[in-house]
């Protein structure tokens, strides 16, 4: 054995003992730990390898096996939410005849996001122009007007394309990326032009209207009511739009619907007008400017409301150019103006019955009081002439109404004064808004002393009362006011609010809201006074000297009052007939007539105004008779087939 030597602390050398390595053994736990570690490494490697294989397989499956499918879906398919317009409510006449319906309209739409670049967009517009006949400039103007829209928002390129254009577009859809056809309900005016002012028309909502609270929730491009009941009852007729979530391809074609909420249709509207009476009124006004209003005096229901000239409602639905719109606006005949409610005229002699009511009620005259008419009324050294130059002689209130004596009403008017006359005229609803469900109604004017001072700064002159007494001067009333006032006169003193809507009906469940007639006021006028005045009105038509004797019917007694409203003031010593003949058409007198029938139990009141129509007896009364007869034929068969009325037989008639 080898021995090593070592030194201790004392410096002496001592032998070092070496360990015996032959007898050493490994401890068991060290061997087990190594095996476990090796197994763990192998498992990790195997797991990683499996994940890698799965990953590689999935990549191969997605990119190779299913690559074209998913690439096509990712590039071409999109989810869009589309608005589903609600169909507007249908408008019927009182007998259920539809005046306004809905039809399908096909709009050509463009989504710019689906068009790759500017060059492709230009090519699409060129193709659309060739297919539709629209110029490229028009289409580019549409894009320019909608440039503020986001690229994924649809733009209406062309509204309401025809069937031929639709077929051409559908056949070339593959060459029109971003273009698709939208189908929406569109207004259809079955008798376009008939009751146009009353029903109204639709037009695209403007930017100014979109800012108004009344149109909150509306979208650019929507059509809204622009006149008549289409406008005033927009909230009921419009309904509530729905929506649809759809999947579309790159060409804008629908692949499938995902979900949707159906729209709620607008409420159907039943009007009080009678289509037959309405058409008769419009036929009477053909070629004339004016208005005819027919009402039921027992309920205030509007039976007809015609204004002439009229207009084609379909032109607005189809769309018109700015030049066409400018021509309509510049038309001196104002075809869009509803003369029944938006035009006020001097009432002329149709005003006299209300002056008669005031005179009788105030005790200025009695039914038997007589006033002499020499053909003029002398005031402040000036002669105010009667329409009959030779005068009427001794006249009581009955004869004054029948023959429309100006001098009689000059006399009682001066005794009453302007303010008292105004009190009674306004009592009958003249000079104030009627409350009808139509836009743009004018109140007219019934003057008083205070009114003139505020309006002009000049005090009332007593001589002005003379003109007021015969319906001239500052007086202005609408045809609707005249009809409602006479209805109150002949029905016993009840002034109704005009009723145009009979009921509203829900299209989905048939729920109905019937609109009740509304009384504006009960007139504080004695029945005896009303009967006296009504007797005069019956005499106007049925007595030989009545100013409307020419329209009398043998089968049914009518009543009414003629009126001639001066447009140009006549000189003091000028012959009335010669003056009228010398005037150009636009300066001739307006012709008025307000009539009713049957005389004893009125069922209809008709007010007629013909602008520059001359005498009321010849220019307006025959028209009113036709309208009344058309309505009364339904309850009085004996009137059917009777010949049209002639004209007044009163010689030298000035009314």
């Amino acid at each position: 054995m080898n021995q090593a030597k070592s030194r201790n602390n004392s410096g002496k050398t001592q032998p070092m003992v070496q360990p015996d390595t032959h007898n050493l053994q490994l401890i068991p736990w060290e061997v087990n730990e190594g095996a476990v570690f090796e197994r763990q490494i192998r498992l990790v490697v195997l797991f990683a390898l499996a994940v890698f294989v799965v990953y590689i397989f999935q990549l191969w499956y997605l990119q190779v096996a299913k690559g074209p499918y998913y690439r096509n879906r990712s590039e071409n398919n999109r989810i869009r939410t589309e608005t589903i317009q609600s169909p507007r409510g249908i408008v019927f006449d009182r007998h259920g005849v539809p005046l306004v319906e809905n039809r399908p309209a096909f709009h050509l739409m463009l989504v710019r996001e689906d068009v790759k670049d500017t060059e492709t967009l230009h090519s699409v517009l060129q193709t659309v122009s060739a297919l539709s006949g629209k110029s490229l400039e028009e289409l580019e103007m549409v894009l320019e007007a909608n440039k503020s829209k986001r690229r994924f928002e649809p733009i209406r390129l062309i509204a309401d394309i025809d069937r031929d254009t639709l077929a051409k577009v559908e056949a070339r859809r593959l060459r029109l990326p971003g273009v698709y056809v939208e189908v929406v309900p569109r207004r259809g005016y079955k008798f376009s032009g008939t009751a146009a002012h009353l029903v109204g028309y639709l037009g695209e909502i403007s930017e100014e209207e979109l800012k108004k609270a009344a149109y909150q929730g509306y979208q650019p491009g929507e059509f809204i009511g622009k006149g008549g009941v289409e406008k005033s009852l927009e909230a009921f007729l419009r309904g509530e739009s729905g929506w649809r979530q759809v999947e579309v391809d790159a060409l804008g074609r629908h692949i499938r619907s995902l979900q949707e909420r159906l729209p709620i249709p607008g409420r159907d509207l039943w009007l009080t007008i009678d289509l037959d009476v309405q058409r008769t009124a419009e036929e009477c006004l053909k070629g004339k400017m004016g208005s005819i209003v027919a009402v039921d005096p027992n309920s205030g229901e509007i039976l007809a409301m015609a204004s002439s000239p009229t207009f084609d409602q379909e032109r607005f639905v189809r769309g018109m150019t700015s030049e066409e719109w400018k021509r309509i606006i510049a038309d001196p005949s104002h075809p869009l103006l509803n003369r029944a409610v938006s035009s006020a005229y001097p009432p002329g002699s149709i005003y006299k019955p209300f002056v008669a009511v005031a005179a009788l009620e105030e005790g200025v005259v009695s039914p038997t009081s007589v006033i002499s008419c020499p053909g003029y009324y002398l005031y402040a050294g000036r002669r105010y002439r009667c329409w009959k130059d030779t005068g009427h002689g001794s006249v009581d209130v009955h004869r004054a109404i029948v023959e429309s004596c100006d001098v009689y009403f000059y006399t009682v008017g001066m005794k009453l004064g302007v303010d008292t006359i105004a009190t009674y005229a306004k009592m009958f609803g003249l000079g104030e808004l009627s409350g009808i469900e139509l836009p743009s109604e004018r109140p007219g004017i019934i003057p008083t002393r205070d009114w003139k001072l505020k309006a002009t700064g000049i005090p009332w002159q007593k001589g002005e009362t003379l003109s007021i007494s015969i319906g001239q001067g500052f007086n202005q009333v609408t045809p609707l006011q005249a009809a409602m006032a006479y209805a109150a006169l002949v029905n016993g003193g009840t002034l109704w609010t005009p009723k145009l809507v009979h009921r509203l009906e829900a299209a989905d469940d048939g729920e109905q809201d019937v609109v009740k007639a509304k009384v504006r006021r009960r007139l504080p006028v004695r029945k005896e006074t009303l009967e006296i005045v009504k007797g005069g009105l019956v005499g106007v038509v049925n007595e030989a000297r009545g100013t409307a004797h020419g329209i009398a019917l043998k089968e049914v007694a009518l009543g009414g009052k003629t009126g001639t409203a001066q447009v140009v003031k006549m000189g003091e010593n000028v012959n009335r007939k010669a003056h009228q003949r010398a005037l150009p058409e636009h300066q001739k007198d307006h012709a008025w007539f307000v009539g009713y029938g049957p005389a004893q139990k009125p069922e209809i009141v008709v007010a007629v105004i013909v602008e520059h129509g001359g005498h009321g007896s010849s220019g307006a009364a025959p028209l009113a008779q036709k309208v009344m007869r058309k309505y009364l034929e339904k309850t009085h068969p004996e009137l059917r087939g009777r010949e049209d009325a002639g004209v007044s037989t009163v010689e030298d008639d000035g009314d």
Side-chain angles (χ1 to χ4, degrees):
M1 179 183 295
N2 294 328
Q3 295 183 347
K5 295 182 178 180
S6 63
R7 293 179 182 274
N8 60 14
N9 293 336
S10 62
K12 292 181 179 181
T13 303
Q14 294 180 349
M16 179 179 292
V17 181
Q18 296 293 328
D20 187 358
T21 58
H22 295 284
N23 297 320
L24 291 177
Q25 293 182 352
L26 292 174
I27 299 173
W29 68 266
E30 293 179 345
V31 177
N32 294 338
E33 184 71 12
V36 171
F37 182 75
E38 288 178 359
R39 284 197 300 270
Q40 288 176 340
I41 292 296
R42 283 196 296 270
L43 288 173
V44 170
V45 171
L46 288 173
F47 179 80
L49 184 61
V51 170
F52 182 76
V53 170
V54 171
Y55 180 73
I56 294 297
F57 176 81
Q58 188 68 13
L59 286 178
W60 174 85
Y61 177 80
L62 293 175
Q63 296 186 13
V64 179
K66 300 291 289 185
Y69 171 77
Y70 286 112
R71 189 179 303 112
N72 181 67
R73 284 180 62 91
S74 64
E75 292 179 356
N76 296 336
N77 295 346
R78 296 189 177 95
I79 305 300
R80 291 194 182 134
T81 300
E82 299 178 346
T83 299
I84 308 175
Q85 290 187 18
S86 59
R88 289 178 73 88
I90 299 173
V91 181
F92 300 92
D93 86 332
R94 69 188 295 118
H95 302 299
V97 179
L99 305 175
V100 186
E101 298 178 309
N102 297 309
R103 60 175 177 83
F106 303 91
H107 300 325
L108 204 60
M109 311 296 290
L110 172 69
V111 179
R112 289 171 295 173
E113 189 180 33
D114 295 339
V115 185
K116 294 180 180 179
D117 48 46
T118 304
E119 183 178 347
T120 304
L121 177 61
H122 184 73
S123 175
V124 167
L125 294 181
Q126 284 183 319
T127 304
V128 170
S129 174
L131 296 177
S132 65
K134 290 278 186 180
S135 68
L136 183 61
E137 291 74 19
E138 288 181 272
L139 299 178
E140 289 174 340
M141 286 175 61
V142 173
L143 289 186
E144 179 66 22
N146 290 274
K147 64 181 181 180
S148 60
K149 280 189 173 183
R150 290 170 291 187
R151 291 187 61 82
F152 64 83
E153 291 183 312
I155 295 173
R156 183 180 297 171
L157 275 181
I158 307 175
D160 203 8
I161 60 177
D162 57 44
R163 301 277 178 169
D164 290 340
T165 302
L166 174 63
K168 293 175 184 177
V169 169
E170 290 293 344
R172 292 165 177 79
R173 285 289 295 279
L174 293 176
R175 288 184 286 171
L176 295 172
V179 174
Y180 70 96
V181 176
E182 179 185 46
V183 184
V184 298
R186 194 67 179 268
R187 223 45 170 163
Y189 295 94
K190 190 173 181 180
F191 309 101
S192 187
T194 298
H197 299 88
L198 188 152
V199 172
Y201 61 96
L202 298 187
E204 190 170 342
I205 192 168
S206 65
E207 292 185 9
E208 294 75 16
E209 288 167 329
L210 282 169
K211 298 174 183 176
K212 296 180 180 179
Y215 297 106
Q216 187 175 4
Y218 283 70
Q219 300 297 321
E222 278 195 59
F223 278 70
I224 62 172
K226 294 285 189 175
V229 295
E230 290 275 31
K231 179 178 181 179
S232 60
L233 299 176
E234 168 75 15
F236 298 100
L237 291 168
R238 180 190 181 222
E240 185 177 340
S241 297
W243 54 265
R244 179 190 299 114
Q245 196 175 60
V246 297
E247 187 178 14
V248 298
D249 63 17
L251 297 178
R253 295 176 299 193
H254 288 196
I255 296 176
R256 58 182 175 133
S257 294
L258 302 178
Q259 55 181 328
E260 66 179 7
R261 188 187 73 182
L262 295 176
I264 300 174
R267 307 195 77 181
D268 293 338
L269 179 63
W270 294 68
L271 300 179
T272 59
I273 68 166
D274 184 310
L275 182 59
D276 293 333
V277 180
Q278 179 72 28
R279 283 176 154 178
T280 300
E282 292 177 354
E283 185 65 28
C284 287
L285 290 172
K286 200 168 184 179
K288 304 176 176 67
M289 289 192 295
S291 176
I292 296 178
V293 178
V295 304
D296 182 343
N298 304 302
S299 63
E301 293 184 351
I302 305 297
L303 303 174
M305 181 180 286
S307 181
S308 180
T310 186
F311 61 92
D312 182 2
Q313 297 144 293
E314 285 288 340
R315 290 183 63 188
F316 291 89
V317 175
R318 292 192 301 266
M320 62 176 68
T321 64
S322 58
E323 289 75 18
E324 290 176 319
W325 173 249
K326 288 176 182 177
R327 282 198 297 271
I328 291 176
I329 295 300
D331 191 329
S333 67
H334 305 294
L336 298 182
L337 179 67
N338 185 354
R339 287 167 162 81
V341 298
S342 301
S343 291
Y345 307 86
S349 293
I350 67 166
Y351 193 68
K352 291 174 180 176
F354 306 106
V355 178
V357 169
L360 291 167
E361 286 293 291
E362 295 295 315
V364 169
V365 295
S366 71
T368 58
S369 298
V370 173
I371 294 174
S372 178
C373 171
Y376 61 89
Y377 180 88
L378 188 63
Y379 177 76
R382 178 183 172 186
R383 290 187 173 188
Y384 292 82
R385 294 181 300 175
C386 184
W387 71 264
K388 189 175 183 180
D389 294 334
T390 57
H392 291 91
S394 296
V395 182
D396 61 11
V397 65
H398 177 85
R399 188 179 172 202
I401 295 173
V402 171
E403 300 184 36
S404 199
C405 177
D406 292 332
V407 170
Y408 182 93
F409 290 99
Y410 289 148
T411 305
V412 299
M414 292 296 279
K415 292 179 180 180
L416 287 167
V418 62
D419 289 342
T420 302
I421 295 173
T423 297
Y424 280 87
K426 290 181 178 180
M427 187 187 299
F428 283 88
L430 300 177
E432 65 180 28
L433 297 176
S434 69
I436 192 170
E437 306 100 325
L438 288 175
S440 305
E441 183 185 9
R442 285 186 60 184
I445 298 172
I446 296 297
T448 63
R449 292 176 181 274
D450 289 343
W451 172 86
K452 187 191 174 188
L453 190 60
K454 290 178 182 178
T456 67
I458 302 172
W460 187 265
Q461 305 299 311
K462 191 173 182 180
E464 292 174 317
T465 306
L466 292 169
S467 296
I468 294 301
S469 301
I470 61 169
Q472 295 291 157
F474 295 108
N475 283 323
Q476 288 190 355
V477 302
T478 67
L480 176 61
Q481 289 174 0
M484 299 309 297
Y486 268 76
L489 188 63
V490 303
N491 69 14
T494 299
L495 180 64
W496 296 97
T497 297
K499 180 182 174 183
L500 184 56
V501 178
H502 178 262
R503 73 176 185 268
L504 292 161
E505 187 173 303
D508 51 356
D509 59 10
E511 181 185 353
Q512 296 183 1
D513 287 332
V514 178
V515 179
K516 296 181 179 179
K518 296 180 181 178
V519 176
R520 288 166 68 188
R521 66 179 71 99
R522 306 283 183 184
L523 306 185
V525 178
R526 292 175 297 162
K527 299 295 183 183
E528 295 83 0
T529 296
L530 296 178
E531 289 301 320
I532 291 168
V533 174
K534 284 172 62 179
L537 297 177
V538 174
V540 168
V541 177
N542 297 283
E543 295 183 18
R545 291 187 173 275
T547 55
H549 179 61
I551 69 165
L553 299 176
K554 295 179 180 178
E555 298 83 359
V556 177
L558 306 177
K561 183 70 188 76
T562 56
T564 303
Q566 287 185 358
V567 175
V568 177
K569 189 174 181 180
M570 188 172 61
E572 188 172 347
N573 296 312
V574 177
N575 180 272
R576 176 185 287 268
K577 283 188 174 182
H579 174 72
Q580 282 295 303
R581 284 195 296 266
L583 288 174
E585 287 295 322
H586 69 279
Q587 292 183 352
K588 290 185 177 180
D589 295 343
H590 298 324
W592 273 103
F593 183 79
V594 186
Y596 64 96
Q600 298 306 314
K601 194 175 180 180
E603 299 173 21
I604 183 172
V605 172
V606 177
V608 178
I609 175 74
V610 178
E611 295 180 14
H612 316 296
H615 301 316
S617 57
S618 57
L623 309 185
Q625 190 242 45
K626 290 180 181 179
V627 175
M628 286 188 284
R629 191 180 70 245
K630 186 65 177 180
Y631 182 74
L632 293 174
E633 282 177 354
K634 299 181 179 183
T635 53
H636 297 76
E638 63 272 21
L639 288 173
R640 295 171 190 165
R642 189 183 186 278
E643 301 240 343
D644 289 346
V647 297
S648 176
T649 57
V650 176
E651 186 180 355
D652 194 26
D653 177 27
D655 234 344

